Amino acid sequence: MATQRLDKVTALNCSVSRRDARKLIKEGRVSVNGGVALRAETEIDTENDKISVDGVNYEIKEHVYIMMNKPSGVISASEDKNKTTVVDLVPPELVRKSLFPAGRLDRDTTGLIIITDDGAFTHRLLSPSHHVYKRYIAKLDAPLGEESVKRLEEGILLEDGTQCLPARVKPFEENGEPFAQIEIREGKYHQVKRMTAACGSHVVELRRVKIGALCLDESLAPGECREMTEEELSLIFED
Ligand code: URA
């Protein structure tokens, strides 16, 4: 049985600070399974107990998973003194204390990013041994030829000695301009950009559109986000 203190559960699930949660509890406004709970330290069974505040029921969730369409110009971090972060863009109703992006996209890269407070999930998502492929669409300054595709698919050795794992690569053309769909299952620094540059094709624009079998919800405008469904969550490890 997974348990958490009532003040923590209230803060996490009702979008209030831990301090405000304690105040609500003290004021008798929080109920557990229909009965008023006055002790902040009451242990809550996060799988079975039901909590309500002022008569409004809240679902108890241990973690939150948010899908964002990352805009360009925003950094993949929880906080920064000067720059806007992806976590800054999360609306108040989804904010929790320890949110962070599950993996990094460069400041100028757009598209699918997941924001969560679940460290174990993030580790599983990012570890190359779990084989979760991330799909990128790269606009290039020169097309990738057959030989380049072969090098990338076999696992390219970058100039600084970094060995990349085999990638899945499909070059294509749109309005006469060169693009490539590139899928990798690791996340080295500027990896896609460095992989194509090693083949003489430089990334002009980069967008992530898929993680595992989970596609970016294209109805999200740049900077918009929403909580993911259970089904979407399971798609990540299902490719
Ligand atoms: N590869 C890159 O080069 N940049 C990103 O943001 C993601 C993958």
Side-chain angles (χ1 to χ4, degrees), residues 104-106 109 136 184 190-194 206:
R104 284 173 182 271
L105 290 178
D106 297 336
T109 301
Y136 296 86
I184 53 174
H190 292 334
Q191 185 164 347
V192 172
K193 291 174 184 166
R194 291 198 294 149
L206 190 62

Side-chain angles (χ1 to χ4, degrees), residues 14 24 27-31 51-58:
C14 311
L24 288 169
E27 290 169 356
R29 294 164 64 186
V30 179
S31 298
I51 61 163
S52 61
V53 178
D54 293 336
V56 177
N57 295 327
Y58 285 87

